[in-house]
Amino acid sequence: MEIKLFREKPALFDHYVATHPRGDVLQTTAWGRVKESTGWTAHPLGVLEGGVLCAAALILTKPLPVIKACVAYSPRGPLYSSPEALSFLLKEGARFLRSDNALVWKMDPAVREGDPIWLETARTHRLKPVDTGLDFDSVQPRHVMVLDLSPSLDTLLSKMKSKTRYNIRYAQRKGVQVQQVKEKGQLSVFYCLLQETAQRDRFTIRSLSYFEAIWDHLIQAGLAKVFLAYHEATPLAGAICFRLGSRAWYVYGASSSEQRNLQASHLIQWEMIKWAKGTGCTVYDFRGVSGDLRPEHPLYGLYRFKEGFGAQLETYVGEFDLPIWQGGYGLWRGGLQVHNWIRRRRRNR
C-alpha cells in the first residue's frame, strides 16, 4: 500500500468518495474548497493498493491561535474498503500531520454505532472517543433521521404520519409554491430567512459569503440545491440539500415567522424528497436530532417533525480524536472544554 495526496487528481479521489457506501459531500474536494474560503487548508489523502484507491480522508487543517500548531479534521471521514486500508491510512495520515505540526486529527465517520471493525481499529490506534452528549455539541450530528426512498411516492406518502400528510396537502391547497433556485442572487432571499430563523431560535449562522462559496463549489457542481417556498410573492421557507451518489442530505433550513400556519416547511421537505428520489437517491437524510427522545426534551419537536415523514433514527459511532502531539493535545482539550462550557451558557440564557 502507498499513501498519496490527490491535489492534482481530485477527480479520482472524488470518484472513490461518491461511490463509497458511506461517501459524503463533506469528504469531497469540492467541500475542501468551500472550507478553504474560511481559512482551512484541504488535504485529500488516499491509500492506493495495486493502483486502486482503497481508503481516503479529506483532512482539513487550520492554524491555532498563540501556538505554532494546527488542528486537523475529517468531516464524515475517513472512508475505507478494508480494515487493513483503514489502519494504513490512520498510521500514514498521522505521520503526514505530524510534519504539519498538528495537535490532533479529529474524525466522525458515518459508521453505525457498535461497528466492530471501526471499534477494533480505533482501539489499536489509540483513538480517543469524544463524549459530545446526546444533543448537538458534536461537529456533525451523531444521531440522524433517514428515510428510505426505495418505495413509490404514493407509498412514501402513505407511510407518513397523518398530520404530516395533512400539512403537506394543506400547504398545496393554500397555494404555497416551492421553487428550485436557479440564480446565485436569490441566495439573499434564503439568507434573510436564515437570519430570521437564527434570531428567533437563538443560534449563530455563517456569513452570506459562506453560502456563496457553497453555490460556487457545490451547487454549480451539482452537489447541492437551494429550495424556496413562497405564498404569492412572500418567501416563507428555504432549505439547502446536498446530494452525492445515492444519498441526499437536508443540511440547512430556514423559515419565516409569518404565515406559519400555511405549513411551508412541510411542503418544502416533500418537494426535496421528490427531487432526491427523482435524481436516483435511495436515502434522504434529515440529519441531526437529539439522542434523548423523551417527549419533555426541548428538542423532541425536531424529532417528531422528521419522524412524521417516516424517517428512522440512526446512530453513528461519534467523534474520535487521534492525538498527534500528546502534550499539546491535552492543553487543547482543556481549552476546548472551557470554550464549550461558555457557549452552552450563552445558548441557554
Side-chain angles (χ1 to χ4, degrees), residues 189-201 203 227-229 234-239 250 252-260 263-266 268 305:
V189 179
F190 168 79
Y191 194 70
C192 286
L193 289 169
L194 185 62
Q195 287 176 309
E196 184 177 349
T197 306
Q199 185 175 14
R200 182 180 66 236
D201 296 341
F203 62 86
F227 295 81
L228 289 171
T234 304
L236 299 181
Y250 164 50
Y252 299 101
S255 62
S256 172
S257 297
E258 295 183 29
Q259 303 184 74
R260 302 193 74 175
Q263 307 300 333
S265 293
H266 281 83
I268 203 170
F305 175 78

PDB file of all heavy atoms in Angstrom, residues 189-201 203 227-229 234-239 250 252-260 263-266 268 305:
ATOM      1  N   VAL A 189     -32.339  35.801  -0.569  1.00  0.00           N
ATOM      2  CA  VAL A 189     -33.675  35.510  -0.040  1.00  0.00           C
ATOM      3  C   VAL A 189     -33.576  34.416   1.023  1.00  0.00           C
ATOM      4  O   VAL A 189     -34.128  34.529   2.120  1.00  0.00           O
ATOM      5  CB  VAL A 189     -34.632  35.073  -1.169  1.00  0.00           C
ATOM      6  CG1 VAL A 189     -36.014  34.740  -0.594  1.00  0.00           C
ATOM      7  CG2 VAL A 189     -34.734  36.157  -2.233  1.00  0.00           C
ATOM      8  N   PHE A 190     -32.852  33.345   0.681  1.00  0.00           N
ATOM      9  CA  PHE A 190     -32.646  32.270   1.655  1.00  0.00           C
ATOM     10  C   PHE A 190     -31.943  32.800   2.899  1.00  0.00           C
ATOM     11  O   PHE A 190     -32.310  32.464   4.026  1.00  0.00           O
ATOM     12  CB  PHE A 190     -31.820  31.144   1.033  1.00  0.00           C
ATOM     13  CG  PHE A 190     -31.328  30.144   2.040  1.00  0.00           C
ATOM     14  CD1 PHE A 190     -32.176  29.159   2.533  1.00  0.00           C
ATOM     15  CD2 PHE A 190     -30.022  30.206   2.519  1.00  0.00           C
ATOM     16  CE1 PHE A 190     -31.725  28.257   3.493  1.00  0.00           C
ATOM     17  CE2 PHE A 190     -29.566  29.303   3.463  1.00  0.00           C
ATOM     18  CZ  PHE A 190     -30.421  28.322   3.948  1.00  0.00           C
ATOM     19  N   TYR A 191     -30.936  33.654   2.688  1.00  0.00           N
ATOM     20  CA  TYR A 191     -30.133  34.124   3.824  1.00  0.00           C
ATOM     21  C   TYR A 191     -30.957  35.011   4.758  1.00  0.00           C
ATOM     22  O   TYR A 191     -30.781  34.951   5.982  1.00  0.00           O
ATOM     23  CB  TYR A 191     -28.894  34.874   3.324  1.00  0.00           C
ATOM     24  CG  TYR A 191     -27.872  35.088   4.419  1.00  0.00           C
ATOM     25  CD1 TYR A 191     -27.152  34.005   4.923  1.00  0.00           C
ATOM     26  CD2 TYR A 191     -27.636  36.351   4.950  1.00  0.00           C
ATOM     27  CE1 TYR A 191     -26.218  34.187   5.930  1.00  0.00           C
ATOM     28  CE2 TYR A 191     -26.704  36.534   5.958  1.00  0.00           C
ATOM     29  CZ  TYR A 191     -25.996  35.445   6.441  1.00  0.00           C
ATOM     30  OH  TYR A 191     -25.081  35.630   7.449  1.00  0.00           O
ATOM     31  N   CYS A 192     -31.844  35.802   4.205  1.00  0.00           N
ATOM     32  CA  CYS A 192     -32.727  36.617   5.062  1.00  0.00           C
ATOM     33  C   CYS A 192     -33.617  35.726   5.926  1.00  0.00           C
ATOM     34  O   CYS A 192     -33.836  36.004   7.117  1.00  0.00           O
ATOM     35  CB  CYS A 192     -33.581  37.552   4.200  1.00  0.00           C
ATOM     36  SG  CYS A 192     -32.680  38.949   3.510  1.00  0.00           S
ATOM     37  N   LEU A 193     -34.142  34.653   5.336  1.00  0.00           N
ATOM     38  CA  LEU A 193     -34.936  33.697   6.113  1.00  0.00           C
ATOM     39  C   LEU A 193     -34.090  33.032   7.190  1.00  0.00           C
ATOM     40  O   LEU A 193     -34.547  32.814   8.313  1.00  0.00           O
ATOM     41  CB  LEU A 193     -35.523  32.631   5.182  1.00  0.00           C
ATOM     42  CG  LEU A 193     -36.643  33.070   4.246  1.00  0.00           C
ATOM     43  CD1 LEU A 193     -36.915  31.979   3.208  1.00  0.00           C
ATOM     44  CD2 LEU A 193     -37.915  33.383   5.026  1.00  0.00           C
ATOM     45  N   LEU A 194     -32.829  32.722   6.852  1.00  0.00           N
ATOM     46  CA  LEU A 194     -31.936  32.081   7.818  1.00  0.00           C
ATOM     47  C   LEU A 194     -31.621  33.032   8.973  1.00  0.00           C
ATOM     48  O   LEU A 194     -31.587  32.611  10.141  1.00  0.00           O
ATOM     49  CB  LEU A 194     -30.653  31.646   7.112  1.00  0.00           C
ATOM     50  CG  LEU A 194     -29.661  30.839   7.956  1.00  0.00           C
ATOM     51  CD1 LEU A 194     -30.289  29.525   8.416  1.00  0.00           C
ATOM     52  CD2 LEU A 194     -28.378  30.571   7.167  1.00  0.00           C
ATOM     53  N   GLN A 195     -31.405  34.306   8.662  1.00  0.00           N
ATOM     54  CA  GLN A 195     -31.157  35.281   9.722  1.00  0.00           C
ATOM     55  C   GLN A 195     -32.360  35.391  10.661  1.00  0.00           C
ATOM     56  O   GLN A 195     -32.204  35.465  11.887  1.00  0.00           O
ATOM     57  CB  GLN A 195     -30.848  36.656   9.105  1.00  0.00           C
ATOM     58  CG  GLN A 195     -29.487  36.760   8.458  1.00  0.00           C
ATOM     59  CD  GLN A 195     -29.268  38.103   7.787  1.00  0.00           C
ATOM     60  OE1 GLN A 195     -30.095  38.556   6.986  1.00  0.00           O
ATOM     61  NE2 GLN A 195     -28.179  38.761   8.129  1.00  0.00           N
ATOM     62  N   GLU A 196     -33.545  35.396  10.090  1.00  0.00           N
ATOM     63  CA  GLU A 196     -34.761  35.465  10.901  1.00  0.00           C
ATOM     64  C   GLU A 196     -34.892  34.227  11.793  1.00  0.00           C
ATOM     65  O   GLU A 196     -35.231  34.328  12.979  1.00  0.00           O
ATOM     66  CB  GLU A 196     -35.982  35.589   9.996  1.00  0.00           C
ATOM     67  CG  GLU A 196     -37.289  35.768  10.749  1.00  0.00           C
ATOM     68  CD  GLU A 196     -38.479  35.965   9.828  1.00  0.00           C
ATOM     69  OE1 GLU A 196     -38.279  36.167   8.613  1.00  0.00           O
ATOM     70  OE2 GLU A 196     -39.620  35.917  10.323  1.00  0.00           O
ATOM     71  N   THR A 197     -34.594  33.071  11.227  1.00  0.00           N
ATOM     72  CA  THR A 197     -34.666  31.829  11.993  1.00  0.00           C
ATOM     73  C   THR A 197     -33.654  31.819  13.129  1.00  0.00           C
ATOM     74  O   THR A 197     -33.966  31.413  14.255  1.00  0.00           O
ATOM     75  CB  THR A 197     -34.413  30.614  11.069  1.00  0.00           C
ATOM     76  OG1 THR A 197     -35.318  30.671   9.971  1.00  0.00           O
ATOM     77  CG2 THR A 197     -34.607  29.309  11.811  1.00  0.00           C
ATOM     78  N   ALA A 198     -32.428  32.262  12.833  1.00  0.00           N
ATOM     79  CA  ALA A 198     -31.374  32.276  13.844  1.00  0.00           C
ATOM     80  C   ALA A 198     -31.721  33.208  14.999  1.00  0.00           C
ATOM     81  O   ALA A 198     -31.483  32.886  16.173  1.00  0.00           O
ATOM     82  CB  ALA A 198     -30.050  32.696  13.204  1.00  0.00           C
ATOM     83  N   GLN A 199     -32.301  34.351  14.674  1.00  0.00           N
ATOM     84  CA  GLN A 199     -32.694  35.290  15.731  1.00  0.00           C
ATOM     85  C   GLN A 199     -33.835  34.717  16.571  1.00  0.00           C
ATOM     86  O   GLN A 199     -33.828  34.822  17.799  1.00  0.00           O
ATOM     87  CB  GLN A 199     -33.115  36.620  15.104  1.00  0.00           C
ATOM     88  CG  GLN A 199     -33.433  37.698  16.130  1.00  0.00           C
ATOM     89  CD  GLN A 199     -33.731  39.040  15.482  1.00  0.00           C
ATOM     90  OE1 GLN A 199     -33.954  39.124  14.275  1.00  0.00           O
ATOM     91  NE2 GLN A 199     -33.733  40.095  16.264  1.00  0.00           N
ATOM     92  N   ARG A 200     -34.780  34.067  15.916  1.00  0.00           N
ATOM     93  CA  ARG A 200     -35.936  33.503  16.629  1.00  0.00           C
ATOM     94  C   ARG A 200     -35.522  32.326  17.517  1.00  0.00           C
ATOM     95  O   ARG A 200     -35.965  32.213  18.664  1.00  0.00           O
ATOM     96  CB  ARG A 200     -36.971  33.044  15.613  1.00  0.00           C
ATOM     97  CG  ARG A 200     -38.249  32.485  16.235  1.00  0.00           C
ATOM     98  CD  ARG A 200     -39.235  32.053  15.164  1.00  0.00           C
ATOM     99  NE  ARG A 200     -38.767  30.921  14.383  1.00  0.00           N
ATOM    100  CZ  ARG A 200     -38.644  30.923  13.059  1.00  0.00           C
ATOM    101  NH1 ARG A 200     -38.968  31.981  12.337  1.00  0.00           N
ATOM    102  NH2 ARG A 200     -38.191  29.851  12.424  1.00  0.00           N
ATOM    103  N   ASP A 201     -34.648  31.456  16.980  1.00  0.00           N
ATOM    104  CA  ASP A 201     -34.284  30.231  17.703  1.00  0.00           C
ATOM    105  C   ASP A 201     -32.951  30.330  18.441  1.00  0.00           C
ATOM    106  O   ASP A 201     -32.476  29.345  18.999  1.00  0.00           O
ATOM    107  CB  ASP A 201     -34.252  29.048  16.733  1.00  0.00           C
ATOM    108  CG  ASP A 201     -35.623  28.755  16.142  1.00  0.00           C
ATOM    109  OD1 ASP A 201     -36.628  29.207  16.731  1.00  0.00           O
ATOM    110  OD2 ASP A 201     -35.695  28.092  15.093  1.00  0.00           O
ATOM    111  N   PHE A 203     -29.530  30.890  17.551  1.00  0.00           N
ATOM    112  CA  PHE A 203     -28.287  30.211  17.190  1.00  0.00           C
ATOM    113  C   PHE A 203     -27.516  31.095  16.217  1.00  0.00           C
ATOM    114  O   PHE A 203     -28.067  32.018  15.616  1.00  0.00           O
ATOM    115  CB  PHE A 203     -28.545  28.819  16.593  1.00  0.00           C
ATOM    116  CG  PHE A 203     -29.345  28.810  15.306  1.00  0.00           C
ATOM    117  CD1 PHE A 203     -28.732  28.971  14.079  1.00  0.00           C
ATOM    118  CD2 PHE A 203     -30.729  28.619  15.343  1.00  0.00           C
ATOM    119  CE1 PHE A 203     -29.461  28.948  12.900  1.00  0.00           C
ATOM    120  CE2 PHE A 203     -31.475  28.584  14.168  1.00  0.00           C
ATOM    121  CZ  PHE A 203     -30.835  28.744  12.942  1.00  0.00           C
ATOM    122  N   PHE A 227     -33.720  25.452  -2.271  1.00  0.00           N
ATOM    123  CA  PHE A 227     -35.167  25.476  -2.466  1.00  0.00           C
ATOM    124  C   PHE A 227     -35.771  26.632  -1.678  1.00  0.00           C
ATOM    125  O   PHE A 227     -35.335  26.928  -0.563  1.00  0.00           O
ATOM    126  CB  PHE A 227     -35.795  24.164  -1.983  1.00  0.00           C
ATOM    127  CG  PHE A 227     -35.378  22.956  -2.757  1.00  0.00           C
ATOM    128  CD1 PHE A 227     -34.162  22.332  -2.493  1.00  0.00           C
ATOM    129  CD2 PHE A 227     -36.184  22.426  -3.757  1.00  0.00           C
ATOM    130  CE1 PHE A 227     -33.767  21.206  -3.201  1.00  0.00           C
ATOM    131  CE2 PHE A 227     -35.801  21.302  -4.468  1.00  0.00           C
ATOM    132  CZ  PHE A 227     -34.586  20.692  -4.195  1.00  0.00           C
ATOM    133  N   LEU A 228     -36.785  27.273  -2.262  1.00  0.00           N
ATOM    134  CA  LEU A 228     -37.518  28.335  -1.588  1.00  0.00           C
ATOM    135  C   LEU A 228     -39.012  28.086  -1.732  1.00  0.00           C
ATOM    136  O   LEU A 228     -39.485  27.714  -2.812  1.00  0.00           O
ATOM    137  CB  LEU A 228     -37.176  29.714  -2.176  1.00  0.00           C
ATOM    138  CG  LEU A 228     -35.781  30.266  -1.882  1.00  0.00           C
ATOM    139  CD1 LEU A 228     -35.524  31.521  -2.720  1.00  0.00           C
ATOM    140  CD2 LEU A 228     -35.617  30.585  -0.396  1.00  0.00           C
ATOM    141  N   ALA A 229     -39.736  28.286  -0.650  1.00  0.00           N
ATOM    142  CA  ALA A 229     -41.190  28.135  -0.658  1.00  0.00           C
ATOM    143  C   ALA A 229     -41.828  29.515  -0.554  1.00  0.00           C
ATOM    144  O   ALA A 229     -41.473  30.302   0.342  1.00  0.00           O
ATOM    145  CB  ALA A 229     -41.642  27.245   0.494  1.00  0.00           C
ATOM    146  N   THR A 234     -44.451  36.172  -1.190  1.00  0.00           N
ATOM    147  CA  THR A 234     -43.788  36.189   0.115  1.00  0.00           C
ATOM    148  C   THR A 234     -43.015  34.900   0.355  1.00  0.00           C
ATOM    149  O   THR A 234     -43.609  33.806   0.350  1.00  0.00           O
ATOM    150  CB  THR A 234     -44.817  36.367   1.244  1.00  0.00           C
ATOM    151  OG1 THR A 234     -45.568  37.559   1.014  1.00  0.00           O
ATOM    152  CG2 THR A 234     -44.126  36.448   2.595  1.00  0.00           C
ATOM    153  N   PRO A 235     -41.694  34.991   0.575  1.00  0.00           N
ATOM    154  CA  PRO A 235     -40.930  33.781   0.891  1.00  0.00           C
ATOM    155  C   PRO A 235     -41.218  33.332   2.324  1.00  0.00           C
ATOM    156  O   PRO A 235     -41.132  34.126   3.264  1.00  0.00           O
ATOM    157  CB  PRO A 235     -39.473  34.232   0.736  1.00  0.00           C
ATOM    158  CG  PRO A 235     -39.497  35.717   0.944  1.00  0.00           C
ATOM    159  CD  PRO A 235     -40.833  36.198   0.478  1.00  0.00           C
ATOM    160  N   LEU A 236     -41.566  32.055   2.469  1.00  0.00           N
ATOM    161  CA  LEU A 236     -41.941  31.527   3.779  1.00  0.00           C
ATOM    162  C   LEU A 236     -40.933  30.527   4.337  1.00  0.00           C
ATOM    163  O   LEU A 236     -40.844  30.354   5.556  1.00  0.00           O
ATOM    164  CB  LEU A 236     -43.317  30.852   3.709  1.00  0.00           C
ATOM    165  CG  LEU A 236     -44.498  31.737   3.309  1.00  0.00           C
ATOM    166  CD1 LEU A 236     -45.781  30.921   3.320  1.00  0.00           C
ATOM    167  CD2 LEU A 236     -44.612  32.946   4.239  1.00  0.00           C
ATOM    168  N   ALA A 237     -40.204  29.838   3.479  1.00  0.00           N
ATOM    169  CA  ALA A 237     -39.251  28.835   3.945  1.00  0.00           C
ATOM    170  C   ALA A 237     -38.174  28.638   2.889  1.00  0.00           C
ATOM    171  O   ALA A 237     -38.382  28.886   1.697  1.00  0.00           O
ATOM    172  CB  ALA A 237     -39.952  27.507   4.242  1.00  0.00           C
ATOM    173  N   GLY A 238     -37.010  28.191   3.340  1.00  0.00           N
ATOM    174  CA  GLY A 238     -35.910  27.897   2.435  1.00  0.00           C
ATOM    175  C   GLY A 238     -35.095  26.725   2.968  1.00  0.00           C
ATOM    176  O   GLY A 238     -35.127  26.431   4.166  1.00  0.00           O
ATOM    177  N   ALA A 239     -34.374  26.059   2.084  1.00  0.00           N
ATOM    178  CA  ALA A 239     -33.568  24.917   2.503  1.00  0.00           C
ATOM    179  C   ALA A 239     -32.465  24.677   1.484  1.00  0.00           C
ATOM    180  O   ALA A 239     -32.592  25.037   0.309  1.00  0.00           O
ATOM    181  CB  ALA A 239     -34.427  23.663   2.651  1.00  0.00           C
ATOM    182  N   TYR A 250     -30.544  16.882   3.973  1.00  0.00           N
ATOM    183  CA  TYR A 250     -31.138  18.182   4.306  1.00  0.00           C
ATOM    184  C   TYR A 250     -30.192  18.848   5.289  1.00  0.00           C
ATOM    185  O   TYR A 250     -30.089  18.455   6.448  1.00  0.00           O
ATOM    186  CB  TYR A 250     -32.524  17.955   4.914  1.00  0.00           C
ATOM    187  CG  TYR A 250     -33.114  19.129   5.659  1.00  0.00           C
ATOM    188  CD1 TYR A 250     -33.168  20.401   5.094  1.00  0.00           C
ATOM    189  CD2 TYR A 250     -33.642  18.947   6.937  1.00  0.00           C
ATOM    190  CE1 TYR A 250     -33.722  21.456   5.785  1.00  0.00           C
ATOM    191  CE2 TYR A 250     -34.200  20.007   7.636  1.00  0.00           C
ATOM    192  CZ  TYR A 250     -34.241  21.263   7.052  1.00  0.00           C
ATOM    193  OH  TYR A 250     -34.796  22.303   7.747  1.00  0.00           O
ATOM    194  N   TYR A 252     -29.322  22.656   5.537  1.00  0.00           N
ATOM    195  CA  TYR A 252     -29.684  23.964   6.095  1.00  0.00           C
ATOM    196  C   TYR A 252     -31.168  24.225   5.879  1.00  0.00           C
ATOM    197  O   TYR A 252     -31.687  23.970   4.785  1.00  0.00           O
ATOM    198  CB  TYR A 252     -28.883  25.095   5.434  1.00  0.00           C
ATOM    199  CG  TYR A 252     -27.392  25.000   5.615  1.00  0.00           C
ATOM    200  CD1 TYR A 252     -26.570  24.521   4.589  1.00  0.00           C
ATOM    201  CD2 TYR A 252     -26.791  25.394   6.809  1.00  0.00           C
ATOM    202  CE1 TYR A 252     -25.198  24.436   4.744  1.00  0.00           C
ATOM    203  CE2 TYR A 252     -25.418  25.305   6.976  1.00  0.00           C
ATOM    204  CZ  TYR A 252     -24.621  24.831   5.943  1.00  0.00           C
ATOM    205  OH  TYR A 252     -23.265  24.736   6.114  1.00  0.00           O
ATOM    206  N   GLY A 253     -31.832  24.725   6.898  1.00  0.00           N
ATOM    207  CA  GLY A 253     -33.244  25.066   6.776  1.00  0.00           C
ATOM    208  C   GLY A 253     -33.535  26.403   7.422  1.00  0.00           C
ATOM    209  O   GLY A 253     -32.860  26.814   8.374  1.00  0.00           O
ATOM    210  N   ALA A 254     -34.538  27.103   6.893  1.00  0.00           N
ATOM    211  CA  ALA A 254     -34.909  28.411   7.427  1.00  0.00           C
ATOM    212  C   ALA A 254     -36.385  28.640   7.170  1.00  0.00           C
ATOM    213  O   ALA A 254     -36.950  28.097   6.215  1.00  0.00           O
ATOM    214  CB  ALA A 254     -34.082  29.512   6.751  1.00  0.00           C
ATOM    215  N   SER A 255     -37.005  29.440   8.027  1.00  0.00           N
ATOM    216  CA  SER A 255     -38.433  29.723   7.845  1.00  0.00           C
ATOM    217  C   SER A 255     -38.777  31.086   8.401  1.00  0.00           C
ATOM    218  O   SER A 255     -38.132  31.584   9.328  1.00  0.00           O
ATOM    219  CB  SER A 255     -39.294  28.658   8.535  1.00  0.00           C
ATOM    220  OG  SER A 255     -39.064  28.657   9.927  1.00  0.00           O
ATOM    221  N   SER A 256     -39.803  31.679   7.833  1.00  0.00           N
ATOM    222  CA  SER A 256     -40.297  32.970   8.284  1.00  0.00           C
ATOM    223  C   SER A 256     -41.251  32.777   9.457  1.00  0.00           C
ATOM    224  O   SER A 256     -41.880  31.720   9.605  1.00  0.00           O
ATOM    225  CB  SER A 256     -41.022  33.680   7.137  1.00  0.00           C
ATOM    226  OG  SER A 256     -41.656  34.848   7.597  1.00  0.00           O
ATOM    227  N   SER A 257     -41.354  33.795  10.274  1.00  0.00           N
ATOM    228  CA  SER A 257     -42.339  33.771  11.364  1.00  0.00           C
ATOM    229  C   SER A 257     -43.734  34.114  10.848  1.00  0.00           C
ATOM    230  O   SER A 257     -44.722  33.928  11.553  1.00  0.00           O
ATOM    231  CB  SER A 257     -41.927  34.759  12.467  1.00  0.00           C
ATOM    232  OG  SER A 257     -40.690  34.385  13.038  1.00  0.00           O
ATOM    233  N   GLU A 258     -43.808  34.602   9.612  1.00  0.00           N
ATOM    234  CA  GLU A 258     -45.095  34.970   9.021  1.00  0.00           C
ATOM    235  C   GLU A 258     -45.808  33.741   8.441  1.00  0.00           C
ATOM    236  O   GLU A 258     -45.171  32.842   7.884  1.00  0.00           O
ATOM    237  CB  GLU A 258     -44.891  35.995   7.890  1.00  0.00           C
ATOM    238  CG  GLU A 258     -44.342  37.331   8.345  1.00  0.00           C
ATOM    239  CD  GLU A 258     -44.234  38.306   7.183  1.00  0.00           C
ATOM    240  OE1 GLU A 258     -45.035  38.186   6.236  1.00  0.00           O
ATOM    241  OE2 GLU A 258     -43.345  39.165   7.222  1.00  0.00           O
ATOM    242  N   GLN A 259     -47.093  33.701   8.576  1.00  0.00           N
ATOM    243  CA  GLN A 259     -47.954  32.694   7.945  1.00  0.00           C
ATOM    244  C   GLN A 259     -47.449  31.262   8.168  1.00  0.00           C
ATOM    245  O   GLN A 259     -47.474  30.422   7.265  1.00  0.00           O
ATOM    246  CB  GLN A 259     -48.079  32.974   6.442  1.00  0.00           C
ATOM    247  CG  GLN A 259     -48.611  34.359   6.120  1.00  0.00           C
ATOM    248  CD  GLN A 259     -48.811  34.563   4.639  1.00  0.00           C
ATOM    249  OE1 GLN A 259     -49.746  34.033   4.047  1.00  0.00           O
ATOM    250  NE2 GLN A 259     -47.923  35.340   4.019  1.00  0.00           N
ATOM    251  N   ARG A 260     -47.028  30.973   9.389  1.00  0.00           N
ATOM    252  CA  ARG A 260     -46.518  29.634   9.683  1.00  0.00           C
ATOM    253  C   ARG A 260     -47.633  28.586   9.600  1.00  0.00           C
ATOM    254  O   ARG A 260     -47.367  27.401   9.436  1.00  0.00           O
ATOM    255  CB  ARG A 260     -45.843  29.607  11.061  1.00  0.00           C
ATOM    256  CG  ARG A 260     -44.689  30.623  11.174  1.00  0.00           C
ATOM    257  CD  ARG A 260     -43.833  30.393  12.377  1.00  0.00           C
ATOM    258  NE  ARG A 260     -42.980  29.221  12.187  1.00  0.00           N
ATOM    259  CZ  ARG A 260     -42.045  28.846  13.057  1.00  0.00           C
ATOM    260  NH1 ARG A 260     -41.869  29.526  14.177  1.00  0.00           N
ATOM    261  NH2 ARG A 260     -41.312  27.784  12.840  1.00  0.00           N
ATOM    262  N   GLN A 263     -47.856  25.960   6.643  1.00  0.00           N
ATOM    263  CA  GLN A 263     -47.094  24.700   6.631  1.00  0.00           C
ATOM    264  C   GLN A 263     -46.096  24.611   5.468  1.00  0.00           C
ATOM    265  O   GLN A 263     -45.886  23.539   4.887  1.00  0.00           O
ATOM    266  CB  GLN A 263     -48.051  23.499   6.594  1.00  0.00           C
ATOM    267  CG  GLN A 263     -49.112  23.490   7.660  1.00  0.00           C
ATOM    268  CD  GLN A 263     -48.530  23.471   9.071  1.00  0.00           C
ATOM    269  OE1 GLN A 263     -47.425  22.995   9.292  1.00  0.00           O
ATOM    270  NE2 GLN A 263     -49.279  24.010  10.029  1.00  0.00           N
ATOM    271  N   ALA A 264     -45.454  25.729   5.172  1.00  0.00           N
ATOM    272  CA  ALA A 264     -44.477  25.732   4.073  1.00  0.00           C
ATOM    273  C   ALA A 264     -43.295  24.799   4.354  1.00  0.00           C
ATOM    274  O   ALA A 264     -42.742  24.184   3.428  1.00  0.00           O
ATOM    275  CB  ALA A 264     -43.974  27.155   3.832  1.00  0.00           C
ATOM    276  N   SER A 265     -42.908  24.663   5.626  1.00  0.00           N
ATOM    277  CA  SER A 265     -41.764  23.806   5.961  1.00  0.00           C
ATOM    278  C   SER A 265     -42.053  22.336   5.664  1.00  0.00           C
ATOM    279  O   SER A 265     -41.138  21.576   5.316  1.00  0.00           O
ATOM    280  CB  SER A 265     -41.393  23.983   7.439  1.00  0.00           C
ATOM    281  OG  SER A 265     -40.901  25.288   7.677  1.00  0.00           O
ATOM    282  N   HIS A 266     -43.299  21.919   5.799  1.00  0.00           N
ATOM    283  CA  HIS A 266     -43.658  20.547   5.450  1.00  0.00           C
ATOM    284  C   HIS A 266     -43.621  20.342   3.933  1.00  0.00           C
ATOM    285  O   HIS A 266     -43.098  19.340   3.436  1.00  0.00           O
ATOM    286  CB  HIS A 266     -45.051  20.199   5.982  1.00  0.00           C
ATOM    287  CG  HIS A 266     -45.075  19.875   7.438  1.00  0.00           C
ATOM    288  ND1 HIS A 266     -45.133  20.853   8.423  1.00  0.00           N
ATOM    289  CD2 HIS A 266     -45.040  18.685   8.086  1.00  0.00           C
ATOM    290  CE1 HIS A 266     -45.138  20.253   9.607  1.00  0.00           C
ATOM    291  NE2 HIS A 266     -45.078  18.958   9.436  1.00  0.00           N
ATOM    292  N   ILE A 268     -41.911  22.030   1.670  1.00  0.00           N
ATOM    293  CA  ILE A 268     -40.569  22.115   1.090  1.00  0.00           C
ATOM    294  C   ILE A 268     -39.814  20.801   1.314  1.00  0.00           C
ATOM    295  O   ILE A 268     -39.056  20.357   0.450  1.00  0.00           O
ATOM    296  CB  ILE A 268     -39.803  23.335   1.654  1.00  0.00           C
ATOM    297  CG1 ILE A 268     -38.685  23.756   0.683  1.00  0.00           C
ATOM    298  CG2 ILE A 268     -39.226  23.092   3.043  1.00  0.00           C
ATOM    299  CD1 ILE A 268     -38.034  25.088   1.038  1.00  0.00           C
ATOM    300  N   PHE A 305     -40.990  16.094  14.100  1.00  0.00           N
ATOM    301  CA  PHE A 305     -41.153  16.648  12.751  1.00  0.00           C
ATOM    302  C   PHE A 305     -40.559  15.695  11.716  1.00  0.00           C
ATOM    303  O   PHE A 305     -41.200  15.359  10.714  1.00  0.00           O
ATOM    304  CB  PHE A 305     -40.479  18.015  12.664  1.00  0.00           C
ATOM    305  CG  PHE A 305     -40.475  18.620  11.286  1.00  0.00           C
ATOM    306  CD1 PHE A 305     -41.608  19.231  10.772  1.00  0.00           C
ATOM    307  CD2 PHE A 305     -39.333  18.581  10.502  1.00  0.00           C
ATOM    308  CE1 PHE A 305     -41.608  19.787   9.489  1.00  0.00           C
ATOM    309  CE2 PHE A 305     -39.313  19.131   9.230  1.00  0.00           C
ATOM    310  CZ  PHE A 305     -40.453  19.728   8.726  1.00  0.00           C
TER     311      PHE A 305
END
